[in-house]
Amino acid sequence: MGRKRLQESADGRPTVHTVAARAGVSIASASRVLNGIGGSPETVRKVRAAAAEVGYVPNAIARSLQSQRTGLVALAVEDIGNPVYVEMMRAIESVVASSGRQLLVHATGGRIDNETALLRRLANRYVDGMIVSPIRVTDDHLTALVDSPVPVVVVGQLDADAAVDNVRTDSRHGVALAVDHLVATGRRRIGFVNGPLDTVPGIARDAGFRAALLRHGIQLDEDLIEVGDFQYAAGRTATERLLARTDPDALFCANDLIAVGALHALLAAGRRVPQDVALVGMDDTELARMMFPQLSSVSLGSAERGRRAAELLLQRIADPTLPPRREQVPPSLAVRASSGATLPVPWPDGPPTTHPSSEGVTA
């Protein structure tokens, strides 16, 4: 007697019906086994054997429609080429992969409209959740975050009452660590090359720099402050402008990309680093360790912030009823050759080492 023709999909692939017919069980029983729900040992054996025999492959799209899970998590950052985001992304991907999910990465260019549009597209549920690290935060952002149909975790500063999971650091305290170090090595004409002042990190780092100088009794000289962008070229150009009008004995830069631009501008101008000008960056990325001389830099725990954000997101996906969580990663200073030369300290007993709490002024 001829074998009954097995049912296939329109494109010729075996279906659950195919497997059930070959195994000699009901479609419901085959479906339970193929979806990992189980069955009697004999049914499980028959269904698995039949699936292997006919070459059955699960339909991931159909499964995601049934379970309302895509197996995908998104990360949105300003610039995927920035080493700080690369370190964050690696940490996030490691945690996400351990859960069996994959990571999608979006570059927003720091544009508010890009970020809010991306958040609103989450209504299509193309991912199970998102981690976003905005450098600008507006009321529109907050509305989109709170209204998101899927879980979202923000890496960066949010208001204390924002009903969104949040992982942050304290940029202002990080700047204080850098200025304390430069003052301790005898530097008094400390310049500052910052990013845009309409960004969260730009505002926090500007406030931190001014407060640190005041605490050390150093009068602020506006000629020693330059504002550009958080990129290498802008950092180099801003440093050239600063050197054209004044003579610093130290420079603090708002991130490592700016600091590398500053280093090249200093060397091109004939300034020795650190003998003539000590240099400190921020973020402590791999880039800081690749330069010559190696850059001193303030670590804001990029990888740790990414890891914690990913863990919060997975917990939120598993239990949407959790209250909003807020975690903070403390900064630390890595001293390297770019700020290693010591000048005479102007205070007999050394500079002050304590500084007031900057809780709430974070980025």
Side-chain angles (χ1 to χ4, degrees):
M1 184 172 62
R3 177 176 292 177
K4 182 180 178 180
R5 179 175 176 80
L6 298 177
Q7 184 173 348
E8 295 178 337
S9 63
D11 60 5
R13 292 182 300 174
T15 66
V16 174
H17 297 263
T18 317
V19 176
R22 178 59 59 90
V25 301
S26 69
I27 293 171
S29 295
S31 179
R32 282 194 296 271
V33 173
L34 294 172
N35 284 293
I37 298 173
S40 70
E42 181 62 14
T43 298
V44 171
R45 184 192 65 78
K46 286 181 179 180
V47 172
R48 288 179 177 172
E53 185 179 346
V54 302
Y56 171 79
V57 177
N59 188 325
I61 295 175
R63 279 190 174 183
S64 69
L65 289 173
Q66 274 189 324
S67 66
Q68 294 293 297
R69 292 284 186 267
T70 66
L72 301 173
V73 166
L75 168 66
V77 297
E78 177 206 10
D79 175 14
I80 59 175
N82 188 326
V84 70
Y85 295 128
V86 173
E87 292 187 6
M88 187 180 294
M89 177 184 66
R90 288 173 179 164
I92 292 170
E93 187 171 36
S94 177
V95 175
V96 167
S98 69
S99 74
R101 293 179 171 85
Q102 291 181 309
L103 183 67
L104 301 177
V105 182
H106 299 265
T108 68
R111 288 178 49 186
I112 295 171
D113 57 341
N114 280 352
E115 292 171 359
T116 53
L118 187 59
L119 286 165
R120 292 190 174 108
R121 285 203 300 273
L122 294 180
N124 296 324
R125 291 185 172 272
Y126 74 96
V127 292
D128 296 337
M130 173 177 280
I131 298 169
V132 59
S133 184
I135 63 171
R136 297 174 177 87
V137 177
T138 65
D139 290 341
D140 204 22
H141 270 99
L142 294 174
T143 299
L145 288 166
V146 172
D147 292 345
S148 171
V150 301
V152 179
V153 176
V154 174
V155 179
Q157 182 184 0
L158 288 179
D159 291 339
D161 58 352
V164 181
D165 292 327
N166 180 210
V167 180
R168 59 177 59 197
T169 187
D170 189 340
S171 285
R172 184 166 178 168
H173 179 57
V175 175
L177 294 176
V179 173
D180 288 353
H181 163 63
L182 291 170
V183 170
T185 62
R187 312 289 172 159
R188 296 282 289 182
R189 290 190 53 75
I190 303 172
F192 177 37
V193 185
N194 197 7
L197 290 176
D198 66 340
T199 65
V200 173
I203 293 169
R205 292 167 202 190
D206 180 75
F209 181 76
R210 293 170 185 272
L213 290 188
L214 180 63
R215 181 166 46 81
H216 284 289
I218 299 175
Q219 184 174 358
L220 179 69
D221 182 350
E222 293 289 348
D223 280 347
L224 286 166
I225 297 179
E226 264 294 341
V227 174
D229 202 352
F230 292 112
Q231 301 294 333
Y232 163 83
R236 179 164 185 166
T237 301
T239 303
E240 290 169 348
R241 291 197 300 267
L242 188 151
L243 293 176
R245 64 173 182 263
T246 191
D247 188 23
D249 61 17
L251 277 181
F252 170 67
C253 298
N255 74 359
D256 287 345
L257 283 171
I258 294 175
V260 173
L263 174 63
H264 292 167
L266 288 166
L267 296 177
R271 311 293 176 89
R272 298 171 302 164
V273 176
Q275 292 89 343
D276 300 327
V277 182
L279 181 63
V280 178
M282 181 168 259
D283 287 331
D284 195 26
T285 61
E286 288 183 353
L287 194 60
R289 298 181 288 279
M290 292 167 62
M291 292 298 104
F292 184 82
Q294 288 190 326
L295 289 173
S296 297
S297 187
V298 177
S299 171
L300 298 178
S302 301
E304 178 65 11
R305 283 185 288 152
R307 183 187 67 78
R308 292 196 193 183
E311 291 174 348
L312 288 181
L313 183 62
L314 294 181
Q315 292 165 12
R316 174 69 59 191
I317 291 171
D319 184 0
T321 67
L322 290 170
R325 282 83 45 84
R326 177 175 166 182
E327 296 193 7
Q328 185 152 315
V329 176
S332 60
L333 173 65
V335 177
R336 301 189 180 94
S338 70
S339 63
T342 302
L343 299 180
V345 178
W347 292 279
D349 299 323
T353 57
T354 59
H355 36 269
S357 170
S358 55
E359 176 66 26
V361 187
T362 57

